[in-house]
Amino acid sequence: MKITKDKRKKFLSKHKQNKRKQVRKYVNAQSKMLNEFNSDNSWMYAYVCPEDYPQEFFNSKTLDQLCNYERNTSLNFTIAKKFHNTNNRKILKKLFEQQQPVYWQAVLADISMPKKANEQGELLLNHVINKAYDPQDFSIGFTQKTPQIDYHLWLPINNILYFGKSPQYFSIGDVITGKSWVTKYHYKDNREQYGLGKTIITNCGIPLINNYYADLSEIPTIKAISPTFISNYNREEDWVLKLSYSSQYLSVLKRYKKINLSTLKYLSGHPIAQYKRNIHDNFHIRLHKNNEYSSFGDLASDLIKRSK
């Protein structure tokens, strides 16, 4: 069958239109992703996945080195870049009224150190979501459709009652999962707000995963396959808090058959806290810096740094 000039022109014209549509769709998707990361509506956790690395690179590193490498190179898309007005935390308000605890996951973004001996420090948590840790359903990448309790929450360190094995180190960029009673407090102008009260830390570290995949359900995320938290990796000098149990506190804990928020509700005292100054930009410095990605290429470059 002979193709006439008119048919050929029509075919090429349609082909160009389809090509333009594809390019436009690709550019729009890139632009949307860039905007979501720059506005803190998309974020990712630091993680270690052996499948991501060239074999030579992976074989030359210890697990401790990989955890530190991922945590440090991921900071720009794990920690919030902007100041966001605290929302009314409806999820916490509802749980407080129901006298129910909140399960949460977050990224450690900063620490507020006590200025006096009788004061307590606080951990700044970013991208706090209302979800219990479940190795069968654990995400490492999040989109703007993921509902957040808040972009940030301060967790008073004296509210942490239990964290598993002692000691536990905390570093900026660590992924933290926990369970807390909800507490209510008031601002100076008498506005009420809700925060995290007595708390059990269930994980703090970097997830080691076998692989991951895109879950394109109603709330799209990047799901991890077979995650295991590496909580005791050697953070070297890059940590901000060390928690440990005193012998007296440990002897009290051993009296409980089950350790959970309900059984520890009336436990007095708290673990020993040792602080170390943050070597990364603190919360205030980050907010005054321009940490936005100027192009999708810059974002993509950061996202694939682990593939060096």
Side-chain angles (χ1 to χ4, degrees), residues 15 17 22 60 63 86 88 110 115 125 139 148 150 162 171 179 202 263 279-280:
H15 178 70
Q17 287 177 8
Q22 290 175 7
S60 69
L63 185 55
T86 299
N88 55 13
D110 201 358
K115 295 178 181 178
L125 306 176
S139 297
Q148 298 184 60
D150 209 336
Y162 184 73
S171 294
K179 182 181 181 183
T202 50
T263 57
I279 65 173
H280 302 278

Side-chain angles (χ1 to χ4, degrees), residues 277-288:
R277 193 163 296 280
N278 181 7
I279 65 173
H280 302 278
D281 288 341
N282 65 34
F283 172 57
H284 299 286
I285 292 175
R286 284 186 65 84
L287 294 184
H288 286 89

